[in-house]
Amino acid sequence: MVVAIAGAHGKIAMRLTALLTADGDSVVGLIRNSDHAREVGERGASPVVCDLERATSDEVATAISGADATVFAAGAGPGSDAERKLSMDRDGAIKLLDGAKAAGVPRFVIVSSVGAERPPDGDDVFSVYLRAKAEADEAVQASDRDWMIVRPGRLTDDRGTSRVRIDAAPFRGHVPRDDVAAVIARLLHDPRVSRRVLYVNGGEQPIEQALEGVLSAPA
């Protein structure tokens, strides 16, 4: 499988790249800053400079052409203002989605956030961030792609445990980025997972068992 990952230098994306390439997949890593190419390449990806805030949809389509799946793991990042939450977390995701449509990339995974299901109305940066995520998710859900939305709780850099809780209903918690990446790697290869919103946090079940549990429930 060829997977194009937007935000390839990000913490989840770097972990995901390592998992995918270790299993024999090919990864195209979209980066904004060419200085990150070496690190992304060291994880096994083929880095491509493609700034989602500046590139056209056609340029994005060219960057991901030939991929079997694309993952939006980009974001404005901590310390960014509300304007960048909208231009990256919302508009960047939608531009990648448009590029996937134009390039004929069938599977589309977006890393969202718990809280996007009912974003607050406030003007503070975190409220704007959740609304940006919600609007991006709505565009994904309205698309004709084979989409998946992953909504983790509070992300940590703790070592992954490979034990999680996965549910179709919202719930809060915290989860290592290692485990979020492992869940996404598993989802990308499971044809049963299609057009689903999944919440992911730390838990007691091995990833495979947690996924089987949620997949056996009605969508």
Side-chain angles (χ1 to χ4, degrees):
M1 175 180 281
V2 178
V3 181
I5 302 177
H9 191 253
K11 292 183 176 182
I12 290 176
M14 293 281 273
R15 290 163 166 83
L16 177 59
T17 295
L19 291 172
L20 292 172
T21 56
D23 282 342
D25 294 313
S26 298
V27 174
V28 176
L30 273 59
I31 53 176
R32 179 179 60 86
N33 188 340
S34 61
D35 291 342
H36 296 156
R38 181 182 59 81
E39 290 179 78
V40 170
E42 287 173 351
R43 294 297 178 105
S46 298
V48 174
V49 177
C50 183
D51 184 346
L52 290 179
E53 290 180 288
R54 297 178 181 273
T56 65
S57 294
D58 286 344
E59 288 170 336
V60 175
T62 298
I64 65 175
S65 178
D68 302 297
T70 189
V71 179
F72 182 81
S80 55
D81 59 18
E83 183 177 352
R84 284 214 69 219
K85 301 300 186 191
L86 295 173
S87 65
M88 175 52 75
D89 293 279
R90 182 191 65 189
D91 299 342
I94 293 172
K95 190 179 292 183
L96 183 67
L97 178 65
D98 290 341
K101 294 175 186 176
V105 180
R107 278 171 87 71
F108 190 95
V109 179
I110 184 168
V111 182
S112 183
S113 173
V114 66
E117 69 283 347
R118 294 186 66 184
D121 296 327
D123 294 328
D124 60 286
V125 172
F126 188 65
S127 295
V128 173
Y129 165 76
L130 287 178
R131 289 202 300 277
K133 284 293 189 186
E135 291 172 20
D137 290 356
E138 288 171 3
V140 171
Q141 289 173 291
S143 78
D144 62 354
R145 299 298 89 188
D146 180 12
W147 56 263
M148 291 167 278
I149 297 172
V150 178
R151 289 177 175 167
R154 182 174 61 83
L155 297 168
T156 76
D157 289 325
D158 297 338
R159 185 185 297 274
T161 66
S162 296
R163 291 184 175 272
V164 295
R165 176 185 169 192
I166 302 175
D167 206 317
F171 71 102
R172 296 188 178 272
H174 55 86
V175 60
R177 290 178 172 87
D178 284 347
D179 291 335
V180 175
V183 168
I184 294 172
R186 173 65 175 76
L187 292 174
L188 282 166
H189 289 89
D190 194 328
R192 298 173 301 166
V193 187
S194 179
R195 305 180 76 83
R196 298 289 295 265
V197 179
L198 298 177
Y199 293 83
V200 180
N201 277 303
E204 300 300 322
Q205 292 184 310
I207 289 172
E208 190 74 22
Q209 183 179 344
L211 279 172
E212 288 299 325
V214 76
L215 290 176
S216 66

